[in-house]
Amino acid sequence: MDLKDIRENYRGFDDYKIEKIASQEAASLRPEVLDILKDEIRRRNLNLNLIDSVNSQTRELTDAELNEYYEILRNHPCPNCNSKTQKLNVTAIGTVYSILVVTSYEKFVRIACSNCLDEMHRKANIKSALLGWWGFPWGPIHTIRSFMFNSSMMKNNRTEKPNDIFKNFIGNNVGIIEKAKTQPEKLTEFINGVNSES
């Protein structure tokens, strides 16, 4: 597609699609397409913070900037219980489902306060204990692996410093977090979407 076609496509997108590209997909765009995106944001008089969101995804972040994004996410209300008394953390949760010869072992990223993350790990272990054993031969093996994985991940639920999962999450979603500076409801919406992925 040449740049003229891309510009026409962007003009045809609704505001929501432009905002989504600016806050979540800018890192994957070529520099000349980024210019088209920024021009479209200006042309529509959208929130200019979207341009900051684009810029934050397309350059190397300093430690100070990473810490700022970390604090924005940590101080956001828990999307699960709406509490502000505990800081948010990011973890991974493993679950296993088995039916005869089919076993599914999946891992998901979850964001919540420490108490809610502990509860999510417990629920995942209960589901795996009830549904994971029934596949042969991998059901029991993956069920035990999920218990061990969840146990090791639970240790990160109450850390004060960002763990590797948290750092990767920030790096992959810096545009959303940048946007949250002026639109915290967008961060809540995004976190709820991450937590509902299965």
Side-chain angles (χ1 to χ4, degrees):
M1 228 186 232
D2 68 13
L3 293 179
K4 183 179 179 185
D5 291 336
I6 292 171
R7 188 177 299 277
E8 287 303 313
N9 277 349
Y10 276 52
R11 290 218 168 161
F13 293 152
D14 62 18
D15 289 354
Y16 176 79
K17 177 72 173 171
I18 294 293
E19 287 181 14
K20 184 173 185 210
I21 293 169
S23 58
Q24 297 179 35
E25 301 169 16
S28 64
L29 299 177
R30 300 185 325 239
E32 57 272 18
V33 177
L34 290 172
D35 291 337
I36 292 171
L37 175 61
K38 290 176 187 178
D39 289 344
E40 190 62 24
I41 290 168
R42 289 184 196 98
R43 188 184 74 76
R44 294 176 185 223
N45 292 319
L46 296 176
N47 187 334
L48 292 181
N49 193 22
L50 288 170
I51 293 174
D52 293 335
S53 189
V54 169
N55 292 337
S56 68
Q57 294 172 72
T58 56
R59 64 182 170 77
E60 189 74 28
L61 298 174
T62 66
D63 287 342
E65 289 170 322
L66 280 172
N67 285 334
E68 180 185 358
Y69 293 134
Y70 172 68
E71 287 303 318
I72 289 170
L73 187 55
R74 287 275 286 170
N75 293 313
H76 198 73
C78 177
N80 206 45
C81 67
N82 212 28
S83 169
K84 290 184 180 181
T85 57
Q86 293 184 20
K87 294 187 180 283
L88 297 189
N89 230 326
V90 180
T91 192
I93 296 174
T95 57
V96 179
Y97 301 93
S98 295
I99 302 172
L100 300 176
V101 294
V102 178
T103 298
S104 172
Y105 179 23
E106 298 176 329
K107 295 177 183 174
F108 306 102
V109 170
R110 295 294 182 253
I111 307 159
C113 69
S114 301
N115 288 343
C116 290
L117 289 177
D118 287 346
E119 184 62 23
M120 289 177 190
H121 278 115
R122 279 192 286 277
K123 286 181 178 178
N125 283 341
I126 290 169
K127 284 181 184 176
S128 295
L130 294 173
L131 304 172
W133 300 100
W134 311 114
F136 184 77
W138 295 108
I141 293 168
H142 286 316
T143 299
I144 291 169
R145 282 184 181 162
S146 76
F147 292 157
M148 292 168 58
F149 177 77
N150 288 335
S151 177
S152 69
M153 289 293 106
M154 280 181 79
K155 294 174 185 170
N156 293 320
N157 291 354
R158 299 182 185 281
T159 58
E160 288 300 316
K161 292 185 177 181
N163 57 42
D164 288 340
I165 296 169
F166 206 137
K167 289 176 186 175
N168 288 337
F169 182 82
I170 289 173
N172 292 334
N173 299 289
V174 71
I176 290 286
I177 300 169
E178 175 67 36
K179 192 174 171 184
K181 289 179 179 178
T182 59
Q183 297 175 298
E185 69 281 357
K186 296 290 186 186
L187 183 57
T188 301
E189 199 176 284
F190 179 69
I191 293 170
N192 286 335
V194 169
N195 285 348
S196 66
E197 291 174 357
S198 56

